Amino acid sequence: MQETTRLRLFARTGRTGSRLRGKRMSLPHGSSARDIENLIVRYSHLVDDAKFGEFGALFDDGDFVFGDVTLRGSTQIEDLIRSTLVVHEDGTLRTRHVTTNILIDVDEENDSAEARSYYTVFQSVPGLLPLQPVGSGRYRDRFARRDGTWCFARREVTIDFTGDTRYHLKPPPVS
């Protein structure tokens, strides 16, 4: 049985032959779109878990564009989200960033890719805010493959709809 077939079997059944048990295997060539999708999803997990340092590191060599603001590098991005987002007593944002309708276009020859997707941010704060969407919008992404690993080259965030963000966004500083 070919390794590709074994990987598909594992994905469907959770069982593998002894050669695969306990080993991490990379998918065969052509898995760039999956690697990029995992990067998009990692972004959501890191921000929801308030792991701002790791979140910022996703943009070590990339731009983060939010409205008229363009930030580059992990430190600028980490500082922005630390100063903007509310971290609750449990150490998280009490959110779930759900990314959907992901369209990925990969240019293997040039080690680049582009993606478009929608996001919805759900939040629940016990005793204060029942589960509800607090924001929704679009991501436009560009990726570069560096040393065999896909990285953000640019992420543009557009907010289309907002809800009750009192427990998600810190109030702006008073001038």
Side-chain angles (χ1 to χ4, degrees):
M1 188 181 301
Q2 292 182 314
E3 293 303 310
T4 306
T5 306
R6 286 178 181 270
L7 289 170
R8 283 193 203 122
L9 178 64
F10 175 73
R12 279 196 312 251
T13 66
R15 293 179 299 191
T16 64
S18 60
R19 288 181 30 206
L20 295 178
R21 191 167 288 127
K23 296 181 183 176
R24 290 188 64 148
M25 296 190 63
S26 59
L27 294 173
H29 181 71
S31 66
S32 291
R34 183 64 177 163
D35 291 344
I36 291 166
E37 184 179 9
N38 283 337
L39 181 59
I40 291 169
V41 171
R42 185 174 305 119
Y43 169 103
S44 297
H45 285 267
L46 292 173
V47 72
D48 287 336
D49 293 339
K51 294 183 177 179
F52 299 150
E54 292 176 58
F55 177 84
L58 294 176
F59 297 92
D60 275 341
D61 296 312
D63 293 331
F64 184 84
V65 181
F66 190 78
D68 295 336
V69 177
T70 299
L71 303 173
R72 183 162 187 82
S74 58
T75 303
Q76 286 187 343
I77 294 157
E78 182 181 349
D79 290 348
L80 170 73
I81 63 171
R82 226 176 255 293
S83 69
T84 305
L85 302 177
V86 176
V87 178
H88 295 271
E89 290 179 12
D90 67 352
T92 73
L93 304 184
R94 306 275 320 151
T95 57
R96 291 295 179 262
H97 285 68
V98 179
T99 307
T100 60
N101 298 31
I102 300 171
L103 267 171
I104 299 171
D105 186 20
V106 177
D107 181 349
E108 295 285 353
E109 287 182 21
N110 292 306
D111 291 331
S112 65
E114 294 184 354
R116 294 180 310 171
S117 56
Y118 299 138
Y119 69 88
T120 304
V121 181
F122 293 94
Q123 186 173 39
S124 174
V125 182
L128 298 172
L129 185 73
L131 179 63
Q132 61 187 275
V134 296
S136 182
R138 295 166 279 146
Y139 296 134
R140 262 187 106 63
D141 299 319
R142 286 194 319 225
F143 303 92
R145 185 167 34 205
R146 297 182 181 105
D147 299 321
T149 301
W150 287 101
C151 308
F152 280 103
R154 181 180 181 89
R155 168 158 271 191
E156 296 175 25
V157 180
T158 302
I159 299 173
D160 292 324
F161 309 106
T162 58
D164 186 346
T165 60
R166 290 176 294 164
Y167 305 103
H168 183 52
L169 301 176
K170 293 178 180 177
V174 178
S175 306

